[in-house]
Amino acid sequence: MSLPPPAGAAILFWEGDAPSFAVVVGEEKQRVAVVSETGREERIPASRVAFELDRGTAPPKTVEGRRGAAARAAALRRAAASRAREVDVGTLWDLVRDRPDPVPERELAGIALGTDDPQARAAVVVALAEDGVRFQRRGAEWMPRASSALTTILAERERVAALQRERESVVKALARAWRGEGFVSTGLEIERRTLAALEGLAILDAEAPDRETALEALAAIGATGDRSHEAAFRLLRRTGRFDSDDRNLAIDRYGLREEFPDEVRAAAEDAASRGFARDGRRDLTALDTITIDAPFTREVDDALSIAPWDEGGFEIGVHIADPCAFVPAGGVVDREALARGMTYYFPERKLLMLPPAISEGAASLVAGEERPALSFLARVDAEGRIRGFEILSSVVRVRSRLDYDAVDAILTGADDPHAPLLRLLASFGEARESARKRAGAIILRSTEVEVHVDPGGALTLSRRDPRSPSQRIVAEAMVLAGEVAATWFETARVPAIYRRQAPPDGPLPVADPDVPEIVWVRAVRRMLKRGEAGREPAPHAALGIAAYAQVTSPLRRYQDLAMHRQMTSRLRSGAPAYGPQEIQAILATTERAELDGRRAERMADRYWMLKYLEQRTGETVTGVVADVVPRTIVVLDETLLEEPVPALSGAATGDRVRLKIERVKPRADLLALRPS
């Protein structure tokens, strides 16, 4: 418009590409002051005014007048929108599409509605703006788009509209599932991507690669929870994506292999049925050999024998199961074991490294059965020092299987025929621990708690005290075998994987008898360097030995199986099974598996510990304040969970506290405690 419209006039003006309606209040600072259809007062440049619709009788200066102006502008909008429905934009475009120049609004109104009055112009403007495709505005004129451009734009618009329709159908399907009304898949690609994003969120939480898509889907259907990953899990559970409320997401998070392929299982069963070759093995079945394990252990890796040494001390045998007798290098079972890396132990299940026909059957040191083994025979003096050793392939027969509690009971006086052997083993364990302490070993044998889930879903906790005589016997025997193995590898110049640990940077804190032990244990652990694996021998500070190689769990750890293969090959043929580069490749593969394994086990253990505590919501538990900086951390006595308790203001490290379990949401990883 050339001149600003007068006060009281109703106008159509532009807000970007959208037509708006307003009533003019007046002119202020070279701008037009208006009251819009929403009742908002604003000042706009005169250049944004398209045209007048009509003129009122008086400017809307009062509050009531402004309300009336807003109502008037809104009524004009409704009238224009209603009449715009009479405008066939497609036909209008077809009539003028060959025009080389923009077409004035008045002319378009005349063509479309038979009149070019302001109300008709407004209706046409609204229609063209809503269409947004066939015409481009040039001030008060409109340029019809070229046919080719229009075809492209309409195709894209239809594609976007179709995508939106698909998205809406997926949202509706998920919303029904969330409400518990069942889930019927749409079969659409967008559904597949949405479900994949939700699964990523449920499993990986903040690390989910398409987290925003998942969060948008949750928001669209109104799915809420204490944590977004919890809401995603609950939604997917209702769609059938997860098969159990207690699905072990650690398995999904770390991509762990669950079932064995048929060919692997068949190969293992065939090898187990054929038995093992005795050639080159020394018959040690006459030794009085026992195993000490937890009652539920089925992959029995190690057995022990012992006798007094004539020069004082002990002749001890650590006999390790030899699965290499059933697992050819490079075969399908071996490749699968390498891909798995280790056996994963969870409260509700385990994922074996080797098929059960071998790990729980033919290679397991089952009492009463002859089994292939790799035996570490050592002479240890009364001071716990190794005076000589021999490593050999063997055949053993375990006489008795004992569990930790039974061994401890016998050592404290229970009448049992195993008592003389166990007392000798206990003396060995004490001597070896003392020797390692003198060498600088850091002995941290604090209580451990495990949660178990029986097939019916019942939860039980078991406590293990590594300071008990039975635990010391087994721990010291395993360390002895690892030390002997490392010495043998280094002396024989056989490529191997060594475990090492650098010493702490400073002196360790001294235990305070007036402070609970857990506080000291946590302080020491913070100072310890992380253990490492490598191809060169080096001291292990925590164990207090010059070199160490893990060899005692070949049924459940591939590194140990590979070290067994190195030893047996060298003992039999004079040449190791692997060269340095092959050992490095095994190390790289298995170290990642072991790291993921520890993380997965911690994740699953915590979930089930929270499930256990959920049953006790409202009850009181006890604990120890283990840290107060940067926040107060309590270690719970029963479960050993470490939890922040912000409400414990003023607490001191070492304080014993009573806490009420207010709220537990295992899937959300939420445990709320407050002082009781």
Side-chain angles (χ1 to χ4, degrees), residues 149-333:
L150 180 59
T151 299
T152 301
I153 292 172
L154 288 176
E156 175 62 16
R157 174 178 281 192
E158 177 52 32
R159 187 192 69 81
V160 171
L163 189 62
Q164 181 59 29
R165 289 192 298 271
E166 290 182 356
R167 184 177 290 110
E168 290 171 356
S169 69
V170 170
V171 167
K172 288 179 181 177
L174 292 176
R176 286 193 296 270
W178 179 255
R179 294 193 299 267
E181 299 170 3
F183 176 68
V184 178
S185 174
T186 64
L188 297 169
E189 172 63 18
I190 191 171
E191 177 186 285
R192 186 197 65 77
R193 292 198 305 270
T194 301
L195 290 174
L198 287 164
E199 186 170 328
L201 178 61
I203 295 169
L204 300 172
D205 193 13
E207 299 173 24
D210 199 5
R211 193 168 187 267
E212 288 306 314
T213 296
L215 293 176
E216 289 172 5
L218 292 176
I221 68 173
T224 59
D226 290 282
R227 303 283 191 273
S228 57
H229 67 270
E230 175 211 11
F233 176 86
R234 287 164 52 205
L235 172 59
L236 292 175
R237 177 74 179 101
R238 293 169 188 176
T239 67
R241 191 86 163 187
F242 292 122
D243 57 3
S244 168
D245 291 341
D246 296 317
R247 169 66 185 174
N248 188 334
L249 295 184
I251 293 174
D252 303 294
R253 183 181 184 93
Y254 295 101
L256 306 184
R257 301 159 83 95
E258 297 187 72
E259 300 301 322
F260 285 101
D262 290 342
E263 63 171 346
V264 173
R265 189 177 292 275
E269 291 171 354
D270 180 59
S273 67
R274 284 186 277 107
F276 64 94
R278 294 171 178 267
D279 295 345
R281 295 185 180 275
R282 187 182 302 178
D283 189 338
L284 299 181
T285 56
L287 292 177
D288 190 4
T289 307
I290 65 167
T291 60
I292 305 174
D293 273 295
F296 50 81
T297 299
R298 298 186 65 183
E299 321 97 274
V300 183
D301 282 293
D302 52 88
L304 305 175
S305 62
I306 195 167
W309 183 28
D310 292 342
E311 298 183 26
F314 319 91
E315 288 187 337
I316 184 162
V318 182
H319 312 279
I320 308 300
D322 187 7
C324 297
F326 306 96
V327 183
V332 292
V333 177

Side-chain angles (χ1 to χ4, degrees), residues 531-609:
E532 298 176 336
R535 291 195 295 112
E536 298 298 326
H540 195 295
L543 295 179
I545 56 180
Y548 179 67
Q550 284 185 166
V551 293
T552 57
S553 297
L555 298 180
R556 60 187 90 186
R557 215 163 39 213
Y558 193 86
Q559 283 188 14
D560 297 39
L561 185 149
M563 294 303 94
H564 269 230
R565 191 171 280 143
Q566 280 292 77
M567 284 185 166
T568 55
S569 178
R570 175 69 164 76
L571 290 169
R572 289 173 176 243
S573 68
Y578 305 111
Q581 297 308 312
E582 292 169 301
I583 288 292
Q584 184 61 43
I586 291 171
L587 174 59
T589 300
T590 54
E591 274 299 281
R592 181 67 194 184
E594 291 201 19
L595 177 61
D596 286 348
R598 289 191 292 270
R599 289 172 174 169
E601 288 170 353
R602 284 197 298 268
M603 179 178 168
D605 286 346
R606 178 169 175 82
Y607 172 81
W608 286 106
M609 284 290 189

Side-chain angles (χ1 to χ4, degrees), residues 309 314-316 377-381 385-390:
W309 183 28
F314 319 91
E315 288 187 337
I316 184 162
L377 307 178
R379 294 179 295 279
V380 178
D381 67 21
R385 294 168 296 196
I386 300 172
R387 293 302 191 182
F389 66 83
E390 182 182 10

Side-chain angles (χ1 to χ4, degrees), residues 392-477:
L392 52 94
S393 294
S394 64
V395 179
V396 299
R397 181 194 294 116
V398 172
R399 299 291 175 84
S400 300
R401 171 175 177 155
L402 304 174
D403 63 42
Y404 292 103
D405 290 342
V407 171
D408 289 334
I410 295 168
L411 289 173
T412 54
D415 185 25
D416 190 276
H418 298 98
L421 181 146
L422 292 176
R423 282 196 289 269
L424 199 57
L425 282 171
S427 297
F428 155 79
E430 291 170 0
R432 279 290 295 170
E433 183 179 279
S434 296
R436 292 197 301 111
K437 282 182 177 178
R438 291 193 299 273
I442 302 166
I443 308 297
L444 291 178
R445 290 179 175 162
S446 56
T447 302
E448 297 177 8
V449 175
E450 295 179 345
V451 59
H452 304 281
V453 185
D454 71 19
L459 304 179
T460 57
L461 298 186
S462 64
R463 300 179 75 81
R464 186 165 67 89
D465 185 358
R467 294 165 297 189
S468 74
S470 61
Q471 297 283 350
R472 183 188 293 115
I473 289 169
V474 174
E476 292 301 335

Side-chain angles (χ1 to χ4, degrees), residues 2 71 76 78 118 185 204 491 504 513 520 529 541:
S2 57
L76 289 169
R78 290 193 297 272
S185 174
L204 300 172
T491 303
W520 174 77
K529 299 291 183 63

